[in-house]
Amino acid sequence: MSSSVSPLAPKTVPDMPVIAGVRLATAEAGIRYKNRTDVLLAVMDKGTAVAGVFTKSKCPSAPVEWCRAKLKGGKARALVVNSGNANAFTGKTGRSSTALTAKIAAKAVGCSESEIFLASTGVIGEPLDATKFDGVLGRLAETAEPGDYLAAAKAIMTTDTFPKVATATVKLGKAKVTINGMAKGAGMIAPDMATMLSFVFTDAPIAPAALQALLKSGVEDTFNAVTIDGDTSTSDTLLAFATGAAAEHGAPKISRASDPRLKAFVKAFSQVLANLAEQVARDGEGARKLVEITVEGAKTKASARKIAMSIANSPLVKTAIAGEDANWGRVVMAVGKAGEPADRDKLSISFNGIRVAKSGARDPDYDEAQVSEAMKAPEIAIKVSLGLGKGRDRVMTCDLTKEYVAINGDYRS
């Protein structure tokens, strides 16, 4: 956790309302860090529905495997998250650690181990001593209270420089329902499902299958459209919990994601995911520029996504942005290497609304001074027009600075 906050951090933090059926508590378990909280316990009321999406890495962490197996039950009573140790690439020891953590949590909460969900973030390859949770989780279960999402978000940070939270309130039937979310992530971010860790809570009465469908759809243009360094984590986990408490106030029980009564909820749910995803990009390790890349005129949306990601993950593009250099040649390179349909002579590129290249060559009205001034802005928008079709997509990333190398050069030590 950095001592200096990213210059791209949001200027304000939203007030996070209480969600009926959710209680939170944090503690110092001494997993890796000293003098800071590193474990979060979220306790949910009986009957809470759960949904999740996870990393597609072929080397997933032990908590990811645990959650995948328990997700089939569709119900959750508690979530345990620790920072400092990812419990990934830890073999049988890692699986034993998840089982012991779940056992301790289930006893503390008073539920089945199958209703316990786990997530870990931090160093890969180091055994996680789950005995450190013994006693701690029992105390947290007794002291957990509704509402302190900011403290919860702080407890799950690693190289993050600020806690990431978002909220939305919307009508579902005659009732007002709330959606609260938190996330952590600053490096090893190229999600292939969600982000490193993110958790969303709502009091809407939504069945597990419907919640799963909403979550799977919601990540595509939010967390899956963010990249920091092109590396997909072993621990990527996004879990959503729906307590259903709003049913007491007139919210209808939802069993299908296609239910027309969900229209406003789906929009708000996606906004929360998008907000959290952007905060991850804003907190990219060492970042000084937030970068939005839009590709239009592609053959398909999928083709536009691949090209946008090729640009966003290019170290040459990202270092040019860090140096405030509108080097469109590097963008051309990234378009060309993506392996998607592109016509060099139809290609146009702009930086912050200033077109620098047109029809496969430098724009005849190009003004170096004007573009250089535009590149000093903390937020950079790159637009690429392919001129081949109607496919369009957008991804978020950040620049690549010397600080990224410094952070990752000694992360494990």
Side-chain angles (χ1 to χ4, degrees), residues 318-352:
K318 292 160 74 71
T319 50
I321 294 170
E324 300 181 344
D325 178 14
N327 192 331
W328 67 86
R330 294 182 177 181
V331 176
V332 173
M333 173 277 298
V335 171
K337 75 170 184 176
E340 293 296 311
D343 185 333
R344 178 199 60 203
D345 297 331
K346 292 183 179 180
L347 197 63
S348 294
I349 301 167
S350 66
F351 288 83
N352 276 5

Side-chain angles (χ1 to χ4, degrees), residues 37-102:
T37 55
D38 58 2
V39 60
L40 159 68
L41 175 68
V43 182
M44 279 80 70
D45 283 355
K46 291 181 179 179
T48 295
V50 62
V53 285
F54 308 94
T55 183
K56 292 180 182 175
S57 168
K58 300 301 183 183
C59 299
S61 69
V64 165
E65 291 183 323
W66 174 274
C67 288
R68 279 179 176 154
K70 306 310 175 189
L71 199 64
K72 298 172 185 177
K75 299 296 180 182
R77 287 295 314 284
L79 165 70
V80 180
V81 187
N82 75 268
S83 58
N85 187 312
N87 196 10
F89 201 64
T90 47
K92 292 181 180 179
T93 300
R95 290 189 285 276
S96 296
S97 293
T98 57
L100 179 56
T101 304

Side-chain angles (χ1 to χ4, degrees), residues 2 7 38 40 44 48 84 94 113 127 131-132 158 160 167 175 181 221 223 280 374-375 386:
S2 175
D38 58 2
L40 159 68
M44 279 80 70
T48 295
E113 293 172 23
T131 62
K132 292 186 175 182
T158 51
D160 305 62
T167 186
D221 290 328
F223 285 123
V280 170
M375 293 300 291
L386 298 174

Side-chain angles (χ1 to χ4, degrees), residues 76-201:
R77 287 295 314 284
L79 165 70
V80 180
V81 187
N82 75 268
S83 58
N85 187 312
N87 196 10
F89 201 64
T90 47
K92 292 181 180 179
T93 300
R95 290 189 285 276
S96 296
S97 293
T98 57
L100 179 56
T101 304
K103 182 178 181 180
I104 295 171
K107 181 180 179 181
V109 174
C111 69
S112 166
E113 293 172 23
S114 64
E115 295 176 297
I116 302 295
F117 286 80
L118 309 172
S120 300
T121 181
V123 173
I124 294 171
E126 297 290 337
L128 173 63
D129 182 4
T131 62
K132 292 186 175 182
F133 296 128
D134 200 6
V136 173
L137 295 183
R139 176 164 48 86
L140 292 182
E142 293 177 355
T143 59
E145 296 181 350
D148 202 348
Y149 288 87
L150 197 60
K154 287 179 180 178
I156 64 175
M157 291 165 58
T158 51
T159 58
D160 305 62
T161 71
F162 62 88
K164 302 163 183 66
V165 293
T167 186
T169 301
V170 67
K171 290 290 288 291
L172 180 59
K174 297 180 180 180
K176 180 177 73 173
V177 299
T178 302
I179 306 164
N180 284 352
M182 69 180 84
K184 67 82 53 188
M188 200 183 288
I189 301 289
D192 195 8
M193 43 53 66
T195 186
M196 285 187 71
L197 296 182
S198 187
F199 311 104
V200 180
F201 304 86

Side-chain angles (χ1 to χ4, degrees), residues 374-396:
M375 293 300 291
K376 294 178 181 179
E379 298 185 10
I380 304 296
I382 300 176
K383 179 182 284 188
V384 174
S385 299
L386 298 174
L388 299 178
K390 296 182 179 180
R392 184 182 188 278
D393 208 354
R394 161 191 171 277
V395 303
M396 303 291 294

